[in-house]
Amino acid sequence: MENLIRTIKPMKKLINGMATVLTVLLAGLAGCATEPTDLSGNSIIPKPVSITPAGESFALTAKSDIFIMPGSPEELTSIGNYLAGKLNPSTGLGLEVITDGRKPGKGDILLAIGTGDEELGEEGYELNITGKVLTVTANKPAGIFRGIQTVRQLLPPEVEAGTVGEGPWTIPTGTIRDFPLYGHRGVMLDVARHFFGPEDVMRYMDQLAKYKMNVLHLHLSDDQGWRIEIKSWPNLTVHGGKTEVGGGEGGFYTQEEYTQMVKYAAERYITIIPEIDMPGHTNAALSSYPELNTGGKAPELYTGIKVGFSTLDTRSETTYKFVDDVIREIAALTPGKYIHIGGDESHVTKPDDYVYFINRAQDIVESHGKSVTGWDEIAHATLKPGTVVQYWARAENAVMGLNQGAKVLMSPAKYAYLDMKYDTASIFGLNWAAYIEVDDAYNWDPATLVPEIKKENIVGIEAPLWTETVSTFKEAEYLIYPRLPGYAEIGWTPAEMRSWDEYRVRLASHGKRMELMDIGFYRSPLIEWEPAVE
Ligand code: ACM
């Protein structure tokens, strides 16, 4: 017995000792979980250009506010209010925007213009996070806006919940220096095959902003519907806007609604590029005005999903009066440089007529002070300086455009089309170009895809969503997410810094953020989602 006690006692001591060590270890781990100190362990998408960890922790508290120094551009106050609007509902910390010259103290955020650092350009930013203050610096307000998206992603996922969570709202300390690879990082949304109202479009813009994207290309007209009010040709929407694929009720944006969307975009440093697709993909317009048709007879409205059967009468001056009126009205609503004239799949327009039409449409766009962008077929015409050719189908068209001095926007259907199914089991989408799983969507480089198209020829990347198969935005979300963050990263992060194996881990942690924002994303089996998908 004695012997037994003699052995048990030291054992107990040993166990107690081990328990103490374990408790300390666990406390340490728990400390790590609640008070992150390693800035390199983030899951920011798109991946920043450079991160230097400092090993401590910054915390937002009830005392925190957002500071803007006197003399800063007015826009910074709006950005500060936007940030407060994102953080307050979930943190409950009541951050206010302070512009009266007081200095930031412990736990505050400072937004400041003026690094004088040319490499950061228009949209780059620097985050300096100390235990005391989190400072976002940039050359331009656009850079501050991109920088605060990084701040959101550095906070715990619950920051996106929109209802008050417990926190703690901590961020590891260090420095992030970041700027985009391409100037044009966008998506295209087809609101013609199915109509999506301003609220859906604005919700989409919130997500684009979150991933630092800066262009929303709206496909405003097609065979199935005309979606923007044109005051000089009212029947385009009265008649041409009243249905959609499958025979639903369609819809259109009034010019006032459209202006609201343009403003909402601008507040997120997003440019809307409006597209009027011509001379093909025009059945809705042809059905609205008989005089636009060769032969003068209006066809019925169309609710199917075939392409390539319609054309404007390219040899009629009425057509050019129509194009001039439409472009004039749209140019007046468009602060951006570009108007997209479509130009794709005009299979029933004779080649000579097609070239004649595109040349005249370009003149009209220029006469209203804008530059032309169009699908890659427009390279068959004589392109004006400053034109952007959107490569979607035929590399030889894009190269023909390059040889005329145009720049290329990369939207190869096989890699960048958000409406392609993920695999044979996908519940929405088409598959005529490819099945595009999340890794296929991520694993390509715009600058090496076509040997003749080099980095310096490319303005950026755009991921189009054609909407033949989706009639609600919830359905659209299944196709958009989780491929969208990958396209954002392709546009922002240098190709040599990207790797699928590392990206898929970061993407996994965005599952929780998307859930908290009620985004109906596709749970790709290639991603180990957090939280796990049953
Ligand atoms: C296109 O997909 N027709 C541009």
Side-chain angles (χ1 to χ4, degrees), residues 309-478:
F309 61 86
S310 57
T311 185
L312 292 168
D313 182 351
T314 57
R315 298 290 172 175
S316 150
E317 284 311 304
T318 307
T319 294
Y320 296 101
K321 168 86 174 89
F322 163 78
V323 175
D324 187 62
D325 286 340
V326 169
I327 300 297
R328 175 172 34 75
E329 290 196 34
I330 290 181
L333 305 173
T334 301
K337 180 175 173 204
Y338 290 101
I339 290 191
H340 200 299
I341 59 169
D344 58 322
E345 298 175 311
S346 286
H347 301 323
V348 294
T349 319
K350 291 199 190 93
D352 284 356
D353 291 347
Y354 176 83
V355 166
Y356 177 75
F357 177 87
I358 296 294
N359 285 341
R360 287 201 58 180
Q362 287 185 95
D363 287 340
I364 291 170
V365 169
E366 284 217 331
S367 77
H368 295 295
K370 300 294 176 186
S371 296
V372 170
T373 177
W375 299 107
D376 61 50
E377 291 95 323
I378 67 162
H380 289 275
T382 308
L383 301 182
K384 304 235 175 235
T387 298
V388 170
V389 170
Q390 185 164 12
Y391 165 44
W392 71 281
R394 296 179 73 99
E396 58 268 37
N397 285 345
V399 172
M400 211 190 311
L402 275 190
N403 292 339
Q404 294 193 58
K407 295 274 189 205
V408 179
L409 175 59
M410 296 296 282
S411 300
K414 284 191 172 80
Y415 300 92
Y417 267 31
L418 282 164
D419 57 308
M420 289 300 114
K421 292 183 172 195
Y422 297 94
D423 61 22
T424 52
S426 291
I427 51 177
F428 299 108
L430 300 170
N431 65 356
W432 58 264
Y435 290 103
I436 307 180
E437 243 301 351
V438 184
D439 56 345
D440 306 315
Y442 182 82
N443 266 332
W444 63 285
D445 177 2
T448 57
L449 195 66
V450 180
E452 296 91 334
I453 306 176
K454 308 268 194 294
K455 163 83 176 51
E456 60 269 24
N457 307 128
I458 297 171
V459 294
I461 161 175
E462 217 175 81
L465 179 75
W466 302 98
T467 58
E468 286 94 334
T469 69
V470 288
S471 60
T472 66
F473 210 75
K474 225 350 118 216
E475 294 173 356
E477 285 177 356
Y478 170 88

Side-chain angles (χ1 to χ4, degrees), residues 281-295:
H281 288 280
T282 40
N283 189 77
L286 297 169
S287 180
S288 306
Y289 287 99
E291 61 268 41
L292 299 176
N293 292 265
T294 321

Side-chain angles (χ1 to χ4, degrees), residues 172-187:
T173 57
T175 306
I176 295 182
R177 212 184 120 67
D178 199 16
F179 50 90
L181 183 62
Y182 293 109
H184 183 135
R185 306 172 308 281
V187 295

Side-chain angles (χ1 to χ4, degrees), residues 185-189 204 208 213 215-217 418 462-464 484:
R185 306 172 308 281
V187 295
M188 185 220 75
L189 178 64
Y204 198 14
L208 301 179
M213 293 182 115
V215 174
L216 170 63
H217 162 184
L418 282 164
E462 217 175 81
L484 182 80

